[in-house]
Amino acid sequence: MILSTTVLDWRIDGNRRVHDKTNGDTYILNCDFMYDIHAHTDGSWMYYYDNMYDRQDGGAYLKCDTSPANIIVAADLIPVSETVTLPIFPDDVQTETAVDTTIMLDQFSRAWAHSNGTATYVVYADDAWNMIRVLCDMTLAELYTLISGI
Amino acid sequence: MYKICTVTNWSDSRDSTRRIAPADVSGSRQILLNPNRFSDIKVRDLTLVTSKSIFKFFDNHLDRREGYSVVKADDPVVSLITAADTAFHSNMITLPIHKNNNPDNATVDHTMNVDCIAYADSYNPDPTNHCWVVYYNAAFKRREVLTSYNIDQIADIAETGSTTTTTTSTTE
């Protein structure tokens, strides 16, 4: 299942995924894409694969403030559905009408809030073929509730 | 759920048939296998040995380049199906892994998805206290690590979350 956590360090894309270097950024992650989870004084560290279906994806070091025990709890939560329907803005334009698009939950890679807080970026895998980033008409908290029911 | 099989032959392109070595004087070896890598499970000989099975096994089932190996086991097909249908205690499993694969070194807990473990094999010098675990980080990387559990304990943890139900030790 998914995990909502504060990512403190993510060594990929030139370390640009974590903007707040002091407090970290909130992400929703897919527990199935996590490997080699270790305890850390801040929570845990692991190798996170953006696309576990792509053999060319080698994973990246990720540190977050959630303990391994709580990651296991999140991994064992049963989602509302094996699919999730995302209201996606065409071309990331928030003035456009969002179009509902349903993806499989096991394709979900990560999500983070738009800087305005009203929309959410979601990245999902087209199986091993491609990674797709979309902007959705919902907050990060609403997305978490939509998937987890919590 | 993982299945501890009595493997009599493992024909593999990666390391030939050495997974069942001449040192295994019984002619077989107890190996913990993950059924999510099984394919084409068949009764080995319909007329003679219906209690035995033969199946394909993919070490790295997420990599389209990965060929299969053929495993012959002294386990009936129905037991393999039962294992595949049995739920894990958790989607994650935590294993104590020795640093540098040296049994004299301390262990570090690694937590991983139960799906990423391919198989576990006994550690010949001390099969009751250690075993090798082969797992994959997605389709990308194969890892072979030495743990301070035997294969029965790994099966118990996967099934119940603890090692308390261990009843037998693994033989070479």
Side-chain angles (χ1 to χ4, degrees):
Chain A
M1 240 279 283
I2 60 166
L3 170 73
S4 179
T5 187
T6 301
V7 177
L8 305 166
D9 189 6
W10 200 338
R11 296 176 188 171
I12 192 171
D13 294 345
N15 287 349
R16 289 193 297 267
R17 289 190 186 174
V18 179
H19 298 95
D20 187 338
K21 303 297 183 188
T22 304
N23 301 311
D25 290 342
T26 302
Y27 275 87
I28 296 175
L29 304 173
N30 188 335
C31 295
D32 286 344
F33 290 25
M34 300 174 179
Y35 288 85
D36 283 336
I37 302 163
H38 296 68
H40 189 279
T41 52
D42 293 327
S44 60
W45 71 270
M46 67 188 77
Y47 292 107
Y48 193 81
Y49 286 67
D50 284 355
N51 185 355
M52 63 171 281
Y53 304 106
D54 184 355
R55 62 177 173 80
Q56 298 173 100
D57 187 340
Y61 175 94
L62 185 152
K63 185 174 72 175
C64 68
D65 71 348
T66 306
S67 68
N70 286 334
I71 290 175
I72 294 172
V73 171
D76 289 337
L77 284 175
I78 298 172
V80 172
S81 168
E82 292 302 321
T83 65
V84 57
T85 300
L86 304 171
I88 296 175
F89 289 118
D91 301 322
D92 292 353
V93 178
Q94 288 184 262
T95 53
E96 297 282 333
T97 301
V99 178
D100 281 351
T101 305
T102 300
I103 65 169
M104 301 302 293
L105 193 55
D106 59 11
Q107 296 175 319
F108 176 88
S109 179
R110 65 184 186 274
W112 68 99
H114 188 282
S115 58
N116 64 18
T118 62
T120 299
Y121 285 109
V122 174
V123 174
Y124 62 94
D126 248 356
D127 289 334
W129 173 248
N130 196 11
M131 298 297 291
I132 298 173
R133 183 189 60 75
V134 294
L135 185 62
C136 300
D137 186 14
M138 58 174 53
T139 66
L140 195 64
E142 288 170 340
L143 175 64
Y144 184 77
T145 300
L146 178 68
I147 296 174
S148 68
I150 300 172
Chain B
M1 180 58 59
Y2 303 136
K3 170 69 177 169
I4 297 177
C5 291
T6 304
V7 178
T8 56
N9 187 277
W10 194 330
S11 302
D12 177 51
S13 58
R14 187 187 295 273
D15 47 14
S16 187
T17 57
R18 285 175 294 173
R19 291 181 183 176
I20 312 300
D24 296 313
V25 292
S26 65
S28 65
R29 189 173 182 84
Q30 297 275 303
I31 299 179
L32 180 144
L33 301 172
N34 192 339
N36 70 350
R37 271 116 166 128
F38 290 180
S39 182
D40 292 355
I41 304 169
K42 299 174 183 173
V43 175
R44 196 150 91 211
D45 187 325
L46 288 171
T47 57
L48 297 176
V49 279
T50 56
S51 63
K52 300 182 179 182
S53 54
I54 182 170
F55 52 89
K56 295 175 181 173
F57 187 85
F58 293 80
D59 279 19
N60 185 359
H61 65 313
L62 292 174
D63 190 344
R64 63 174 176 79
R65 300 172 302 173
E66 178 80 12
Y68 61 85
S69 50
V70 176
V71 176
K72 294 179 180 177
D74 285 351
D75 297 271
V77 170
V78 65
S79 72
L80 305 180
I81 296 172
T82 300
D85 287 340
T86 304
F88 287 93
H89 171 74
S90 168
N91 291 325
M92 296 283 188
I93 187 169
T94 301
L95 300 178
I97 293 175
H98 289 289
K99 292 180 179 175
N100 299 324
N101 289 341
N102 183 339
D104 296 328
N105 288 346
T107 59
V108 177
D109 281 349
H110 287 227
T111 301
M112 61 191 78
N113 197 300
V114 291
D115 290 338
C116 71
I117 292 179
Y119 65 93
D121 193 5
S122 300
Y123 177 61
N124 284 341
D126 189 1
T128 59
N129 293 308
H130 303 286
C131 75
W132 292 102
V133 172
V134 176
Y135 69 98
Y136 284 82
N137 282 358
F140 180 72
K141 189 172 181 62
R142 176 187 177 94
R143 294 181 186 270
E144 300 181 9
V145 295
L146 187 65
T147 73
S148 62
Y149 289 151
N150 62 44
I151 61 172
D152 294 307
Q153 289 174 316
I154 291 179
D156 289 341
I157 289 174
E159 186 172 4
T160 67
S162 72
T163 61
T164 53
T165 59
T166 299
T167 55
T168 59
S169 61
T170 307
T171 57
E172 291 183 44

